[in-house]
Amino acid sequence: MTQIRKILVANRGEIALRIMRTAREMGIQTVAIYSEADRNALHVRYADEAVCVGPAPSVESYLKADVIIDVCRQLGVDAIHPGYGFLSENANFSRMVREAGLIFIGPSPESIEVMGSKLAAKAAVADYNIPMVPGTPSAITDRDEAKAISAQIGYPVLIKASAGGGGKGMRVVESEDEFDEQMDRAVSEALSAFGDGSVFIEKYVTSPRHIEIQVLGDQHGNIIHLFERECSVQRRHQKVVEEAPSAILTPEIREAMGQAAVDVARACGYYGAGTVEFIVNDNLDFYFLEMNTRLQVEHPVTELITGIDLVKQMIYIAEGKPLTIRQEDLQINGHAVEVRVYAEDPANNFLPDVGTLDTYVRPQGNGVRVDDGFEQGMSIPIYYDPMIAKLITYGESREEAIQKMIRAIDEYQISGVQTTLPFGRFVMEHEAFRSGQFDTGFVSNYFSPDKLTPEPDPAEAELAAVLAAYLLEQAKSSKKQPAANSPSTLTKKSQWKTNRMR
Ligand code: ADP
Ligand code: ADP
Ligand code: MG
């Protein structure tokens, strides 16, 4: 066992801060890396030491494995936490880290390698009786054969990139006549996103729900699961709203999925924190999709319902400590919901809308957690993922967590960029979400921009500000107390309205 005294976080934004906070609580020194675009970023200020590793584009900075390892040598770092995205699922990087005599806070390079390929992952778990969606067992090389298989399993089918991630390289094929076209698109998307054009076919599960299981394994062969997260509210096959537990799982299915997830982890000799993703149909049959060999964006909902700090566990595991949590000691307490706050315009196809956060005031209060990496006045760089924050609420019941989320969204004041907050409010108020009866088609089935409140006109807002200043002057000169709807109250209300629905 090696005690970690100094950690370098090879990431940026909210996840870098989240990891450093836990490290600090554990008495571990923290080192941040940053690109030239992130000089003033909060993770840089938070760290005990920070080193610039290159220009803004991530290939020249956050993805510079050798530079990052050099920084560790120079600063006497013991361990690297990769966060999510960037180098987190790069087996070569984790191998380089080990070869440099450093600890990689994550699984072995072998586990990353196997699970990094959806096809290799399916092959690896073949002996464990894990339910899988019907499809081709290997990459498509012959199109006619692929079409024959598709006809056999029945359309619609999904063409997926084996190296896929982040919802990229995935195409639904409704019928055979569009097969070739969608195949070409999937291959070219896979090539440009992952440098690997291998694709395969899966039956497209109708009314699919995305439900995933959090696992933790130590280096001594102990593996446990920390229940599920429901992530069915997605745009572009990417999650925007997550919750734990799922509104629909029965204790029996939860147990069966948990067991299957532990088996998947065992199949690749897994240690560290990981997520086993399943697709679930309306009959609650579940099928293994893939395993993400890293800390997940939505991990806070699991932390809230289990009371376990996942980053702390990852650090203990990396130090070689055996897990002290036993499966039978774990239970679900309450309910947690997360809304990802992206600088994206929900009224315009969720296109990124980067810019400056002219107003940025976080919600507060009991049961509200905000994981973010920004302050008022900061700009969201165009170079990286446009996520501003994760807004997480916790309540004794699902209903309470949702109510808190609506309240928190109303309190959250962001101006200067469009965000997914109004969309989050739409979801929280929608009867399908409320009832728990929804699937990954939620956005396409129910959402359209007209469901959002029109944004306040900037000219109108300016007029309101001028009027407010005038009223304030009036109030002062007549030496009266400002009335209940004083100018400041007026401004706040109008900002709060931005997150409201009709
Ligand atoms: P999660 O399951 O953790 O929610 P996401 O799909 O939202 O994962 O991805 C989390 C982050 O990791 C995003 O910034 C996404 O762009 C990035 N990411 C995911 N998969 C890959 C990949 N294979 N290669 C590069 N980046 C990825
Ligand atoms: P990624 O690596 O991009 O996360 P996944 O295999 O996890 O790829 O799939 C991402 C999303 O695509 C899932 O959450 C789900 O919404 C959808 N999806 C994937 N496979 C299927 C399937 N066979 N049927 C229906 N939807 C699917
Ligand atoms: Mg996935």
Side-chain angles (χ1 to χ4, degrees):
M1 269 193 293
T2 332
Q3 203 186 339
I4 296 173
R5 293 172 202 282
K6 199 171 192 178
I7 283 181
L8 177 143
V9 181
N11 218 296
R12 61 182 297 279
E14 64 89 17
I15 196 64
L17 280 157
R18 188 262 165 274
I19 294 162
M20 289 194 285
R21 288 198 162 98
T22 289
R24 187 165 283 181
E25 286 166 20
M26 297 172 76
I28 298 171
Q29 293 282 303
T30 54
V31 177
I33 56 164
Y34 61 96
S35 72
E36 285 165 14
D38 277 340
R39 280 189 188 288
N40 300 314
L42 293 186
H43 77 280
V44 178
R45 283 193 238 155
Y46 191 91
D48 296 314
E49 291 165 90
V51 180
C52 182
V53 290
S58 47
V59 283
E60 296 174 52
S61 49
Y62 294 106
L63 292 172
K64 280 269 181 205
D66 47 348
V67 175
I68 294 168
I69 290 170
D70 266 352
V71 170
C72 292
R73 287 207 185 92
Q74 280 161 22
L75 300 183
V77 166
D78 314 303
I80 297 182
H81 196 305
Y84 57 72
F86 296 127
L87 296 165
S88 62
E89 291 173 283
N90 185 315
N92 282 337
F93 177 64
S94 75
R95 206 168 273 129
M96 281 169 72
V97 171
R98 271 154 232 252
E99 280 163 10
L102 300 164
I103 295 172
F104 180 79
I105 305 176
S108 69
E110 294 74 25
S111 299
I112 299 176
E113 210 139 57
V114 170
M115 293 300 164
S117 151
K118 294 189 206 298
L119 283 169
K122 289 186 188 208
V125 305
D127 292 342
Y128 285 80
N129 222 358
I130 311 288
M132 270 182 279
V133 193
T136 52
S138 54
I140 303 173
T141 42
D142 182 332
R143 286 191 185 206
D144 290 331
E145 194 188 316
K147 283 182 206 169
I149 293 175
S150 300
Q152 213 179 344
I153 62 181
Y155 285 92
V157 298
L158 199 57
I159 302 182
K160 280 171 106 166
S162 181
K168 293 194 197 84
M170 207 179 305
R171 290 275 155 187
V172 182
V173 191
E174 299 288 348
S175 62
E176 186 165 323
D177 46 304
E178 51 178 66
F179 190 94
D180 286 308
E181 185 195 338
Q182 299 296 8
M183 168 93 182
D184 292 340
R185 288 198 191 168
V187 171
S188 77
E189 223 172 279
L191 269 175
S192 69
F194 315 109
D196 172 0
S198 333
V199 297
F200 64 101
I201 288 167
E202 255 177 23
K203 164 111 192 111
Y204 185 78
V205 175
T206 45
S207 308
R209 295 179 75 119
H210 174 118
I211 301 181
E212 59 188 30
I213 304 277
Q214 176 70 54
V215 298
L216 275 179
D218 65 20
Q219 299 192 44
H220 311 278
N222 304 302
I223 305 175
I224 57 171
H225 72 84
L226 282 75
F227 314 109
E228 79 277 9
R229 289 184 290 259
E230 161 82 61
C231 313
S232 298
V233 181
Q234 306 181 344
R235 47 105 185 75
R236 294 189 285 270
H237 300 296
Q238 258 197 312
K239 308 153 188 170
V240 239
V241 174
E242 301 103 338
E243 63 179 314
S246 162
I248 54 150
L249 287 198
T250 61
E252 294 72 33
I253 294 171
R254 175 172 296 123
E255 165 85 37
M257 288 179 77
Q259 191 51 53
V262 167
D263 286 345
V264 167
R266 202 172 298 288
C268 67
Y270 201 82
Y271 57 83
T275 296
V276 181
E277 298 188 335
F278 294 96
I279 197 108
V280 180
N281 68 14
D282 44 14
N283 193 30
L284 296 188
D285 301 315
F286 60 89
Y287 305 97
F288 170 59
L289 272 188
E290 63 161 349
M291 180 169 191
N292 292 330
T293 56
R294 57 174 162 88
L295 189 64
Q296 205 97 345
V297 173
E298 58 275 16
H299 75 277
V301 292
T302 300
E303 297 191 318
L304 291 175
I305 63 153
T306 59
I308 289 167
D309 181 326
L310 286 167
V311 171
K312 191 174 186 179
Q313 293 302 319
M314 290 178 89
I315 293 172
Y316 283 155
I317 292 165
E319 289 178 329
K321 294 194 173 111
L323 278 174
T324 54
I325 312 158
R326 288 172 309 174
Q327 189 69 56
E328 56 271 29
D329 298 338
L330 282 166
Q331 60 177 37
I332 297 174
N333 286 308
H335 201 98
V337 179
E338 171 177 288
V339 167
R340 297 194 193 185
V341 187
Y342 283 99
E344 284 178 3
D345 187 359
N348 186 16
N349 250 327
F350 294 92
L351 282 182
D353 183 43
V354 292
T356 303
L357 296 168
D358 296 328
T359 314
Y360 186 76
V361 183
R362 296 172 190 93
Q364 295 185 27
N366 188 15
V368 176
R369 167 172 167 181
V370 182
D371 282 18
D372 67 6
F374 292 97
E375 270 178 356
Q376 187 158 297
M378 287 183 169
S379 300
I380 297 149
I382 53 164
Y383 303 96
Y384 319 108
D385 196 86
M387 193 169 77
I388 303 169
K390 301 185 306 205
L391 173 57
I392 310 119
T393 57
Y394 173 80
E396 273 179 33
S397 63
R398 184 170 190 263
E399 194 54 27
E400 193 181 298
I402 293 173
Q403 292 291 5
K404 271 187 207 286
M405 182 57 79
I406 294 171
R407 186 270 288 173
I409 289 173
D410 282 352
E411 266 181 44
Y412 217 141
Q413 296 172 53
I414 302 180
S415 74
V417 296
Q418 300 295 330
T419 76
T420 47
L421 275 173
F423 171 76
R425 196 178 207 283
F426 166 80
V427 176
M428 294 302 125
E429 294 199 318
H430 198 280
E431 59 185 40
F433 184 76
R434 270 323 219 324
S435 67
Q437 298 305 314
F438 58 98
D439 56 46
T440 60
F442 182 91
V443 173
S444 57
N445 291 342
Y446 306 120
F447 180 69
S448 56
D450 63 306
K451 305 270 172 30
L452 300 166
T453 327
E455 285 303 312
D457 184 334
E460 215 174 87
E462 198 172 317
L463 190 67
V466 172
L467 185 67
Y470 172 77
L471 287 173
L472 185 64
E473 275 311 302
Q474 289 284 93
K476 271 190 200 152
S477 60
S478 63
K479 296 206 170 63
K480 274 189 219 150
Q481 288 290 328
N485 58 343
S486 67
S488 64
T489 320
L490 276 177
T491 338
K492 270 187 223 143
K493 284 244 170 74
S494 70
Q495 271 158 357
W496 284 5
K497 241 175 81 190
T498 16
N499 305 330
R500 287 243 160 92
M501 297 301 102
R502 252 183 211 143

